[in-house]
mmCIF file of all heavy atoms in Angstrom:
data_model
loop_
_atom_site.group_PDB
_atom_site.id
_atom_site.type_symbol
_atom_site.label_atom_id
_atom_site.label_comp_id
_atom_site.label_asym_id
_atom_site.label_seq_id
_atom_site.Cartn_x
_atom_site.Cartn_y
_atom_site.Cartn_z
ATOM 1 N N SER A 13 -8.888 -46.480 3.375
ATOM 2 C CA SER A 13 -10.034 -45.789 2.748
ATOM 3 C C SER A 13 -9.552 -44.869 1.640
ATOM 4 O O SER A 13 -10.150 -44.807 0.562
ATOM 5 C CB SER A 13 -10.783 -44.918 3.747
ATOM 6 O OG SER A 13 -11.148 -45.642 4.833
ATOM 7 N N LEU A 14 -8.460 -44.141 1.910
ATOM 8 C CA LEU A 14 -7.958 -43.212 0.895
ATOM 9 C C LEU A 14 -7.471 -43.973 -0.341
ATOM 10 O O LEU A 14 -7.678 -43.536 -1.473
ATOM 11 C CB LEU A 14 -6.814 -42.361 1.465
ATOM 12 C CG LEU A 14 -7.251 -41.192 2.342
ATOM 13 C CD1 LEU A 14 -6.059 -40.565 3.042
ATOM 14 C CD2 LEU A 14 -7.980 -40.140 1.517
ATOM 15 N N ARG A 15 -6.861 -45.139 -0.103
ATOM 16 C CA ARG A 15 -6.365 -45.933 -1.236
ATOM 17 C C ARG A 15 -7.550 -46.369 -2.095
ATOM 18 O O ARG A 15 -7.528 -46.259 -3.315
ATOM 19 C CB ARG A 15 -5.584 -47.138 -0.711
ATOM 20 C CG ARG A 15 -4.799 -47.827 -1.810
ATOM 21 C CD ARG A 15 -3.922 -48.958 -1.281
ATOM 22 N NE ARG A 15 -2.768 -48.513 -0.556
ATOM 23 C CZ ARG A 15 -2.557 -48.717 0.742
ATOM 24 N NH1 ARG A 15 -3.452 -49.356 1.468
ATOM 25 N NH2 ARG A 15 -1.470 -48.283 1.319
ATOM 26 N N GLY A 16 -8.641 -46.822 -1.407
ATOM 27 C CA GLY A 16 -9.832 -47.267 -2.137
ATOM 28 C C GLY A 16 -10.433 -46.119 -2.937
ATOM 29 O O GLY A 16 -10.799 -46.273 -4.106
ATOM 30 N N LEU A 17 -10.493 -44.934 -2.293
ATOM 31 C CA LEU A 17 -11.051 -43.749 -2.952
ATOM 32 C C LEU A 17 -10.232 -43.421 -4.197
ATOM 33 O O LEU A 17 -10.776 -43.171 -5.276
ATOM 34 C CB LEU A 17 -11.046 -42.581 -1.963
ATOM 35 C CG LEU A 17 -11.622 -41.263 -2.462
ATOM 36 C CD1 LEU A 17 -13.104 -41.411 -2.774
ATOM 37 C CD2 LEU A 17 -11.429 -40.178 -1.409
ATOM 38 N N SER A 18 -8.911 -43.448 -4.035
ATOM 39 C CA SER A 18 -8.028 -43.136 -5.143
ATOM 40 C C SER A 18 -8.241 -44.116 -6.295
ATOM 41 O O SER A 18 -8.313 -43.727 -7.455
ATOM 42 C CB SER A 18 -6.578 -43.164 -4.626
ATOM 43 O OG SER A 18 -5.688 -43.364 -5.666
ATOM 44 N N GLU A 19 -8.403 -45.413 -5.958
ATOM 45 C CA GLU A 19 -8.608 -46.414 -7.009
ATOM 46 C C GLU A 19 -9.936 -46.188 -7.723
ATOM 47 O O GLU A 19 -10.033 -46.266 -8.940
ATOM 48 C CB GLU A 19 -8.575 -47.824 -6.408
ATOM 49 C CG GLU A 19 -7.143 -48.330 -6.313
ATOM 50 C CD GLU A 19 -7.001 -49.477 -5.325
ATOM 51 O OE1 GLU A 19 -8.035 -49.989 -4.836
ATOM 52 O OE2 GLU A 19 -5.846 -49.840 -5.041
ATOM 53 N N ARG A 20 -10.976 -45.850 -6.910
ATOM 54 C CA ARG A 20 -12.296 -45.628 -7.538
ATOM 55 C C ARG A 20 -12.255 -44.422 -8.466
ATOM 56 O O ARG A 20 -12.833 -44.436 -9.537
ATOM 57 C CB ARG A 20 -13.364 -45.449 -6.462
ATOM 58 C CG ARG A 20 -13.946 -46.801 -6.051
ATOM 59 C CD ARG A 20 -15.054 -46.653 -5.063
ATOM 60 N NE ARG A 20 -14.557 -46.279 -3.756
ATOM 61 C CZ ARG A 20 -15.069 -45.342 -2.977
ATOM 62 N NH1 ARG A 20 -16.118 -44.666 -3.362
ATOM 63 N NH2 ARG A 20 -14.547 -45.074 -1.799
ATOM 64 N N ILE A 21 -11.520 -43.344 -8.036
ATOM 65 C CA ILE A 21 -11.444 -42.152 -8.899
ATOM 66 C C ILE A 21 -10.753 -42.515 -10.203
ATOM 67 O O ILE A 21 -11.210 -42.204 -11.291
ATOM 68 C CB ILE A 21 -10.674 -41.018 -8.194
ATOM 69 C CG1 ILE A 21 -11.488 -40.480 -7.017
ATOM 70 C CG2 ILE A 21 -10.364 -39.869 -9.156
ATOM 71 C CD1 ILE A 21 -10.731 -39.543 -6.108
ATOM 72 N N ARG A 22 -9.625 -43.255 -10.074
ATOM 73 C CA ARG A 22 -8.873 -43.584 -11.291
ATOM 74 C C ARG A 22 -9.629 -44.543 -12.194
ATOM 75 O O ARG A 22 -9.534 -44.479 -13.400
ATOM 76 C CB ARG A 22 -7.499 -44.129 -10.936
ATOM 77 C CG ARG A 22 -6.539 -42.968 -10.780
ATOM 78 C CD ARG A 22 -5.140 -43.447 -10.605
ATOM 79 N NE ARG A 22 -5.008 -44.037 -9.284
ATOM 80 C CZ ARG A 22 -4.007 -44.815 -8.934
ATOM 81 N NH1 ARG A 22 -3.090 -45.131 -9.767
ATOM 82 N NH2 ARG A 22 -3.940 -45.283 -7.726
ATOM 83 N N GLY A 23 -10.461 -45.427 -11.561
ATOM 84 C CA GLY A 23 -11.230 -46.386 -12.366
ATOM 85 C C GLY A 23 -12.522 -45.785 -12.887
ATOM 86 O O GLY A 23 -13.301 -46.452 -13.545
ATOM 87 N N GLY A 24 -12.795 -44.527 -12.575
ATOM 88 C CA GLY A 24 -14.002 -43.854 -13.054
ATOM 89 C C GLY A 24 -15.273 -44.441 -12.478
ATOM 90 O O GLY A 24 -16.345 -44.305 -13.035
ATOM 91 N N LYS A 25 -15.202 -45.150 -11.284
ATOM 92 C CA LYS A 25 -16.386 -45.806 -10.743
ATOM 93 C C LYS A 25 -17.153 -44.904 -9.795
ATOM 94 O O LYS A 25 -17.997 -45.332 -9.056
ATOM 95 C CB LYS A 25 -15.962 -47.075 -9.991
ATOM 96 C CG LYS A 25 -15.445 -48.138 -10.918
ATOM 97 C CD LYS A 25 -15.131 -49.383 -10.134
ATOM 98 C CE LYS A 25 -14.304 -50.322 -10.990
ATOM 99 N NZ LYS A 25 -13.259 -50.937 -10.246
ATOM 100 N N THR A 26 -16.808 -43.669 -9.732
ATOM 101 C CA THR A 26 -17.509 -42.781 -8.818
ATOM 102 C C THR A 26 -17.642 -41.421 -9.471
ATOM 103 O O THR A 26 -16.928 -41.108 -10.422
ATOM 104 C CB THR A 26 -16.740 -42.649 -7.488
ATOM 105 O OG1 THR A 26 -17.388 -41.656 -6.719
ATOM 106 C CG2 THR A 26 -15.306 -42.229 -7.671
#
Side-chain angles (χ1 to χ4, degrees):
S13 306
L14 281 170
R15 192 175 287 114
L17 181 64
S18 158
E19 275 161 9
R20 272 184 287 135
I21 291 170
R22 273 187 288 164
K25 291 184 194 139
T26 173

